[in-house]
Amino acid sequence: MSGMGSGGGFGLGGAGGRSVDCATLSFETHIHSPKQQYIGNISVAETLDVVLATMNGIQVVQIRKSDGTIVGGLVEKGPKIRECLEAGYTATVRSIQGAAIRIFVQSQGR
């Protein structure tokens, strides 16, 4: 079954014969560990960059403002989005409630 429910739907395992269609991969999630000092500088409908970075030797997916300021990270679907980052992804801010920032992640080509 397919779906967007919580749990291990996408998992961290190997390819398993399934390939990710990077052009259509999109999902709504929240920014993980948002930087408190930048929350006030983010607005609903703002477009943020989704980029791959290396921190302490580990690849992470970061959410950044256009000036390069790191707003937070992306954990949900991390392994899948890492496969697609070369295609270019953005995150549109959907809502801000305190430190909870909801975003919609999609390919720049959409």
Side-chain angles (χ1 to χ4, degrees):
M1 296 283 174
S2 64
M4 300 273 300
S6 62
F10 281 85
L12 296 174
R18 267 204 232 181
S19 178
V20 176
D21 182 356
C22 295
T24 61
L25 178 64
S26 63
F27 55 95
E28 190 161 321
T29 188
H30 66 279
I31 294 177
H32 183 73
S33 299
K35 305 290 185 190
Q36 294 291 339
Q37 65 268 36
Y38 302 121
I39 292 174
N41 298 328
I42 299 170
S43 57
V44 172
E46 182 174 356
T47 300
L48 305 171
D49 298 321
V50 181
V51 298
L52 189 61
T54 302
M55 294 178 65
N56 300 320
I58 300 170
Q59 281 191 329
V60 297
V61 180
Q62 293 180 337
I63 305 297
R64 296 182 183 174
K65 291 183 65 73
S66 60
D67 66 3
T69 302
I70 300 168
V71 177
L74 182 65
V75 175
E76 187 173 341
K77 297 186 184 23
K80 298 299 178 187
I81 195 77
R82 279 188 210 109
E83 293 177 31
C84 295
L85 280 178
E86 289 180 14
Y89 273 75
T90 59
T92 303
V93 178
R94 290 279 175 97
S95 67
I96 303 169
Q97 295 178 348
I101 304 168
R102 267 322 277 156
I103 56 175
F104 182 71
V105 178
Q106 67 180 358
S107 169
Q108 289 178 342
R110 294 184 92 193

